[in-house]
């Protein structure tokens, strides 16, 4: 019983000291939010760990298929990430929630079924090359769509909902909610690879693909019920969604009026051919503008969080980390370790150990944040919540994820170029260079803001005290 109370204390905001403010945040709804987030993240983490093992087994002695999948996934996020941020800004929370959950889970189900086909018919590349290529493409596309959907859910929950829910409450509420969500993600990173690794090692790869498909088929219903209950139970979310809808309507009506004025002025001049020519050119410019998401990148570059955001993105130019986060190791390294003959459950346990360190960080973050600034903790996503305007938050989040995916894409391109597992050390060296550059960029930003990196006078006093 005491253990249950301890878990609840870690998961739910502390109500002592602010009873009147925190009473509007029902603990049951917060628990629904955390459980729904857990279910969604678990499915994504299962796929994240397994895909590298699937690819190295489908095409042994080469990192090519694992690298190709990484390129497809990263390219889709890089090119469509800013559009997802803009898309989230134009849809209500309920529509985003539906599209995110159903698309993510359906995509992982399809990917799991395609992998089962490739594993069952292991000689397909020799007997029916067209069918083999079709299943590989289906696996890559479905996995990429699933990851894009996960990105939409991450922006919705971690960048939007927690901020809206915590508005009007002490800063500690947002800090604790961020820590809980991060802890949930790391718990999934810890246990999903371990469980999947044991299934692969002691049953089969096919069984793990079946587990993935079944999990996403069943969990989507519970996820949807839990998160819609949160939306319906916390009035601030529906109010924020209505405000977004009204702003979009006003913006669309303004654009329509401007277009009609331009059109009528051209008609009055009687220059029909010139109008047609200008209209075609304008449409081409608008298409290129929208395709490249130039407006989204413009918003991003105007923020104060640009330099640390670039430093964060450089951490993705590495084969030594887990997808979407900066610890553990991803599909290329997983495939390389599998090629070395290391059992899947050992790889899963190793990833779990790295996740344990991350979980410890979620407990230490609230303490550090109360003693030092958020800037010095190095947590860009949390710092951006305070320094990015609400109207730009989704767009900036989408561009940041896109930038991370561009660097992620470059790492996988290098994996295609250096696809021999024996040359994996070269990829490791490139990864070290990227991480070092990220540290230098972030240190320069801290120096620009704080005018110093360390309190050398305090260090000197401590050093003299130790010597004395």
């Amino acid at each position: 019983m005491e253990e249950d109370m301890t878990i609840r204390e870690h998961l739910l905001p502390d109500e002592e000291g602010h009873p009147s403010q925190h009473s509007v945040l029902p603990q049951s709804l917060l628990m629904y939010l955390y459980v729904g987030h857990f279910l969604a993240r678990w499915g994504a983490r299962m796929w994240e760990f397994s895909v590298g093992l699937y690819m190295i087994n489908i095409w042994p002695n080469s990192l090519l298929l694992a690298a190709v999948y990484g390129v497809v996934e990263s390219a889709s996020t890089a090119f469509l990430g800013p559009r997802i941020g803009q898309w989230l800004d134009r849809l209500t929370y309920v529509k985003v929630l539906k599209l995110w959950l159903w698309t993510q889970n359906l995509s992982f189900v399809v990917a799991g079924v395609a992998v089962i086909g490739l594993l069952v018919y292991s000689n397909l590349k020799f007997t029916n090359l067209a069918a083999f290529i079709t299943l590989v493409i289906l696996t890559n596309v479905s996995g990429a769509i699933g990851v894009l959907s996960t990105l939409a859910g991450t922006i919705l929950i971690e960048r939007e909902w927690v901020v809206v829910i915590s508005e009007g409450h002490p800063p500690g509420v947002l800090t604790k909610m961020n820590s809980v969500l991060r802890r949930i993600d790391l718990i999934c990173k810890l246990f999903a690879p371990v469980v999947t690794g044991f299934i692969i090692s002691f049953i089969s790869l096919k069984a793990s693909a079946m587990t993935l498909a079944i999990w996403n088929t069943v969990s989507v219903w519970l996820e949807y019920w839990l998160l819609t209950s949160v939306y319906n139970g916390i009035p601030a979310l529906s109010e924020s969604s209505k405000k977004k809808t009204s702003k979009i309507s006003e913006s669309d009506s303004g654009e329509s009026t401007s277009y009609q004025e331009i059109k009528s002025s051209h008609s009055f001049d009687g220059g029909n051919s010139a109008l047609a020519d200008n209209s075609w050119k304008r449409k081409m410019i608008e298409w290129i503008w929208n395709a490249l998401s130039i407006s989204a990148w413009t918003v991003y570059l105007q923020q104060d969080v640009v330099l640390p955001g670039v430093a964060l993105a450089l951490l993705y130019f590495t084969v030594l980390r887990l997808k979407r986060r900066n610890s553990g190791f991803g599909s290329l390294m997983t495939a390389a370790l599998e090629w070395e003959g290391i059992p899947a459950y050992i790889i899963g346990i190793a990833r779990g150990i790295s996740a344990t360190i991350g979980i410890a960080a979620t407990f230490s973050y609230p303490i550090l944040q109360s003693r030092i600034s958020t800037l010095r903790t190095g947590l860009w996503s949390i710092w951006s919540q305070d320094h990015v305007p609400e109207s730009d938050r989704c767009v900036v989040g989408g561009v940041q994820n896109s930038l991370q995916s561009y660097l992620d894409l470059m790492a996988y391109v290098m994996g295609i170029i250096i696809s021999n597992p024996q040359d994996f050390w070269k990829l490791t060296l490139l990864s070290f260079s990227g991480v070092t550059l990220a540290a230098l960029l972030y240190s320069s930003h801290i120096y620009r803001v704080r005018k110093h990196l360390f309190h050398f006078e305090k260090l000197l006093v401590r050093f003299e005290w130790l010597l004395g």
Side-chain angles (χ1 to χ4, degrees):
M1 193 69 184
E2 293 180 359
E3 184 179 354
D4 291 341
M5 290 299 295
T6 303
I7 293 173
R8 289 180 65 83
E9 287 175 5
H10 286 310
L11 282 175
L12 300 174
D14 186 10
E15 294 189 8
E16 293 182 5
H18 302 282
S20 61
Q21 290 175 306
H22 288 252
S23 60
V24 297
L25 293 179
Q27 294 186 356
S28 60
L29 292 179
L30 290 178
M31 186 64 73
Y32 284 1
L33 176 67
Y34 299 144
V35 174
H37 186 67
F38 167 81
L39 294 174
R41 297 307 298 170
W42 184 275
R45 291 299 187 186
M46 287 176 67
W47 171 253
E48 202 171 74
F49 173 74
S50 304
V51 63
L53 299 175
Y54 295 149
M55 295 305 179
I56 196 68
N57 279 272
I58 292 169
W59 196 287
N61 301 318
S62 176
L63 299 176
L64 183 62
L65 277 187
V68 167
Y69 171 78
V71 166
V72 172
E73 179 189 308
S74 300
S76 62
T77 308
F79 292 116
L80 297 176
R83 297 292 296 169
I84 287 178
Q86 292 174 322
W87 165 68
L88 290 178
D89 270 341
R90 299 188 64 83
L91 293 177
T92 63
Y93 288 156
V94 173
K95 289 182 179 178
V96 174
L97 186 64
K98 289 179 181 178
L99 288 171
W100 157 42
L101 292 178
W102 295 109
T103 304
Q104 174 186 311
N105 287 277
L106 180 60
S107 297
F108 287 142
V109 169
V110 172
V113 171
V115 166
I116 292 171
L118 288 167
L119 294 173
V120 170
Y121 302 100
S122 56
N123 294 324
L124 199 60
K125 56 179 172 289
F126 304 112
T127 59
N128 192 336
L129 185 60
F132 175 79
I133 293 174
T134 301
L135 286 176
V136 169
I137 291 174
L138 185 61
T139 302
N140 281 264
V141 172
S142 298
I145 293 174
V147 171
L148 283 173
S149 305
T150 303
L151 169 60
T154 299
I155 295 174
L156 177 68
I157 300 298
E158 298 183 9
R159 304 279 202 279
E160 280 283 305
W161 278 24
V162 295
V163 177
V164 173
I165 291 172
S166 63
E167 285 178 351
H169 297 272
V173 175
L174 179 59
T175 299
K176 185 161 285 189
M177 290 181 71
N178 281 322
S179 296
V180 171
L181 291 175
R182 176 65 173 146
R183 196 175 305 147
I184 288 170
D185 188 38
L186 288 168
I187 287 172
C188 293
K189 184 194 293 185
L190 168 62
F191 291 106
V194 173
V195 172
T196 305
F198 272 93
I199 293 173
I200 292 172
S201 297
F202 298 104
I203 305 179
S204 67
L205 275 169
K206 303 181 193 71
S208 72
M210 286 180 176
T211 303
L212 173 72
I214 293 171
W215 174 273
N216 285 279
T217 301
V218 174
S219 66
V220 62
W221 305 97
L222 183 56
E223 291 168 30
Y224 181 73
W225 177 75
L226 288 169
L227 294 177
T228 51
S229 298
V230 173
Y231 176 82
N232 294 327
I234 299 180
L237 291 174
S238 58
E239 291 171 6
S240 177
S241 186
K242 289 176 182 177
K243 289 179 183 178
K244 286 176 60 176
T245 305
S246 61
K247 288 180 181 179
I248 292 167
S249 300
E250 291 174 3
S251 176
D252 290 343
S253 62
E255 290 176 2
S256 177
T257 303
S258 299
Y259 176 76
Q260 291 295 331
E261 290 175 353
I262 294 171
K263 185 175 178 181
S264 60
S265 65
H266 279 285
S267 299
F268 180 78
D269 292 338
N272 292 331
S273 60
L275 173 62
D277 186 50
N278 291 334
S279 177
W280 179 82
K281 289 180 180 179
R282 186 165 56 252
K283 287 180 179 179
M284 284 296 297
I285 293 172
E286 288 177 358
W287 183 86
I288 295 172
W289 185 277
N290 291 329
L292 297 177
S293 302
I294 293 176
S295 59
W297 283 96
T298 302
V299 171
Y300 178 80
L301 293 173
Q302 293 172 347
Q303 307 300 322
D304 294 333
V305 298
V306 172
L307 196 59
V310 173
L312 172 62
L314 279 169
L315 296 179
Y316 285 75
F317 183 63
T318 172
V319 297
L320 306 176
R321 58 94 189 91
L322 188 64
K323 301 295 291 176
R324 307 295 161 224
R325 299 290 181 187
N326 303 324
S327 60
F329 31 88
S331 57
L332 275 178
M333 188 171 181
T334 301
L337 294 175
E338 171 76 5
W339 177 82
E340 290 284 357
I342 299 175
Y345 75 93
I346 297 295
I347 300 174
I349 291 173
R351 286 177 61 142
I353 292 172
S354 70
T356 303
I357 298 172
I359 293 172
T362 66
F363 288 96
S364 62
Y365 165 70
I367 300 172
L368 287 173
Q369 197 269 345
S370 64
R371 296 176 180 270
I372 62 176
S373 64
T374 307
L375 172 65
R376 294 169 66 189
T377 65
L379 294 176
W380 181 92
S381 60
I382 296 175
W383 189 46
S384 66
Q385 290 175 345
D386 298 327
H387 290 77
V388 176
E390 181 181 357
S391 58
D392 298 335
R393 204 174 289 139
C394 285
V395 174
V396 171
V399 173
Q400 179 64 33
N401 280 279
S402 177
L403 182 59
Q404 291 164 187
S405 294
Y406 277 119
L407 274 298
D408 198 23
L409 172 61
M410 291 174 62
Y412 279 110
V413 168
M414 296 305 300
I416 292 177
I417 296 172
I418 309 174
S419 60
N420 190 335
Q422 293 179 340
D423 296 327
F424 192 75
W425 65 271
K426 298 177 182 177
L427 297 174
T428 303
L429 186 60
L430 286 169
S431 301
F432 176 79
S433 302
V435 172
T436 302
L437 179 58
L440 292 174
L441 284 176
Y442 196 80
S443 297
S444 66
H445 176 74
I446 290 180
Y447 184 81
R448 187 183 67 180
V449 174
R450 304 179 66 235
K451 307 304 180 185
H452 65 275
L453 293 177
F454 303 101
H455 293 284
F456 288 103
E457 65 281 0
K458 294 182 179 179
L459 291 174
L460 184 61
V461 170
R462 289 177 180 268
F463 183 71
E464 291 176 348
W465 178 80
L466 288 173
L467 290 178

